[in-house]
Amino acid sequence: MMQAVRPRLRTALPVMALLMCLAGPTGASAQEELPPPATDEWLTDPVDRETFESFLQFFRYDAELPLDVESRGTGREQGLTWETVAFRSTAGQRVVADLYRAGGEWRDRPSLILLHGGSGAGRAAPTTRYMAGLFSRAGFNVLAIDMLHFGDRDTGLLETYSEGEKHERLYNRHATYLEWVTQTVKDVRRSVDLLVQQFGVEPGRVGLAGFSRGAVVATIVAAADTRLAATVMVNGGHFDRRETGHSAAACPANYIGRIAPRPLLMVNGRHDGDMLLETSVAPLFALAGEPKRMILMDTGHQRPTPEAQAEIIAWLHDAIP
């Protein structure tokens, strides 16, 4: 069933209703000379079950490989304290992450793995820190990880982290992007292993949250690992405004429908000039299975409003009790 409309936020609207309430994109992105929004066949006709299952082969990993956890000290900012750790994901790849403990024993609290956006600072970006603090103060353990090429996992592929460079060198290069998506999925799967094996978190109480680019890849991660109890996408979609295409195996449209019956929440701005509501967000939401919900904000591509934050936290407590 569709959710009722709340003041200032429309939630879980049908796609046609979403499109009827569109306003044109605003902000810096809307003023740039950009090509028409990208699309692909999978947004209207996702791959079949057999093809989807063949994609899952990309995301297999050696679960017997020791995590080899290393503590790298603690940090503190605005009343938040975290421990920085590094652990082995796959051969030759170590993930660097910040652990925010909600309080008390790990096993007594629900947990979230948090994926950052496209900032070069990775998990240390201000918005990521803000979201980690929001979830931690609400009673969730949070594991915020650096994705490959970002933060402490800088490889030199990206130098300026401008939107143009990220798209030219990563997002619009099919093979490179698929490799990056594949590694990110494995990193999150190993993050679940870390929380369960190292900290005693209950396997069924681990969720996933992503912001911007992290929200895009979160659709693929959540479909690939059914241990994730719930997924929150903030400012995510099928394509952003500068993307020109991607391979089928890296397309959110081929995964989002496979997250159900685990719950999914999408949080987006009506005036987002990067993830366009009409062509990127609403069609992707239509492919998701129930239970699903959408929160629409009268904003652009930015952190959630206070009203949306309250809705996100309430939804999460219902989804991961």
Side-chain angles (χ1 to χ4, degrees):
M1 297 295 293
M2 296 298 177
Q3 301 288 332
V5 176
R6 299 193 181 187
R8 299 183 66 180
L9 294 171
R10 288 189 173 92
T11 57
L13 296 176
V15 172
M16 289 307 297
L18 290 178
L19 302 184
M20 290 173 64
C21 69
L22 292 175
T26 61
S29 296
Q31 300 171 7
E32 297 176 11
E33 291 295 328
L34 294 171
T39 187
D40 58 46
E41 61 188 280
W42 307 297
L43 197 54
T44 54
D45 186 20
V47 298
D48 58 25
R49 168 61 64 175
E50 183 178 0
T51 304
F52 165 72
E53 291 179 352
S54 73
F55 292 162
L56 297 181
Q57 303 302 314
F58 285 113
F59 312 129
R60 293 187 180 276
Y61 68 99
D62 182 3
E64 300 301 319
L65 189 69
L67 288 163
D68 189 22
V69 183
E70 166 197 357
S71 177
R72 294 191 176 181
T74 60
R76 184 173 179 83
E77 182 178 289
Q78 297 181 345
L80 282 175
T81 301
W82 61 87
E83 179 186 5
T84 300
V85 299
F87 60 94
R88 184 183 289 116
S89 174
T90 56
Q93 288 292 338
R94 290 183 66 79
V95 174
V96 183
D98 290 335
L99 286 161
Y100 301 76
R101 184 176 299 197
E105 293 292 330
W106 282 88
R107 63 179 59 88
D108 296 331
R109 304 282 186 171
S111 300
L112 286 173
I113 297 167
L114 179 59
L115 299 179
H116 58 77
S119 168
R123 74 190 193 285
T127 296
T128 309
R129 288 263 191 254
Y130 184 89
M131 297 300 294
L134 172 69
F135 296 137
S136 179
R137 291 186 178 102
F140 291 84
N141 301 312
V142 179
L143 179 68
I145 73 171
D146 273 340
M147 293 186 283
L148 184 63
H149 308 310
F150 295 86
D152 282 345
R153 299 179 72 192
D154 176 19
T155 61
L157 177 70
L158 302 171
E159 298 175 353
T160 67
Y161 291 91
S162 67
E163 290 302 318
E165 183 192 55
K166 286 185 292 186
H167 286 77
E168 178 185 357
R169 298 187 180 184
L170 179 58
Y171 301 153
N172 287 332
R173 290 186 176 271
H174 290 199
T176 303
Y177 186 62
L178 176 57
E179 180 182 21
W180 178 79
V181 167
T182 298
Q183 187 62 50
T184 303
V185 174
K186 293 177 181 179
D187 293 343
V188 175
R189 301 192 74 186
R190 290 288 274 174
S191 296
V192 177
D193 294 344
L194 176 77
L195 289 171
V196 173
Q197 297 173 19
Q198 190 78 13
F199 298 100
V201 169
E202 293 182 34
R205 302 186 75 196
V206 179
L208 177 65
F211 181 86
S212 189
R213 182 57 50 173
V216 175
V217 74
T219 61
I220 300 174
V221 177
D225 197 321
T226 58
R227 295 175 298 176
L228 294 164
T231 303
V232 178
M233 298 171 59
V234 179
N235 292 335
H238 172 246
F239 273 126
D240 75 21
R241 192 63 176 84
R242 297 169 178 80
E243 285 182 76
T244 57
H246 49 216
S247 66
C251 179
N254 291 325
Y255 294 88
I256 195 167
R258 271 85 182 195
I259 297 174
R262 292 163 294 141
L264 171 70
L265 176 65
M266 289 182 67
V267 183
N268 291 88
R270 285 189 181 86
H271 314 301
D272 190 333
D274 292 323
M275 300 289 179
L276 302 184
L277 184 56
E278 182 175 9
T279 56
S280 178
V281 177
L284 188 66
F285 180 72
L287 293 177
E290 297 288 354
K292 63 181 178 179
R293 182 176 178 186
M294 175 174 280
I295 296 174
L296 282 180
M297 308 174 292
D298 289 320
T299 64
H301 195 87
Q302 59 201 64
R303 64 183 59 166
T305 62
E307 296 91 344
Q309 291 175 28
E311 295 236 6
I312 293 168
I313 295 303
W315 183 90
L316 273 169
H317 280 303
D318 286 341
I320 316 175

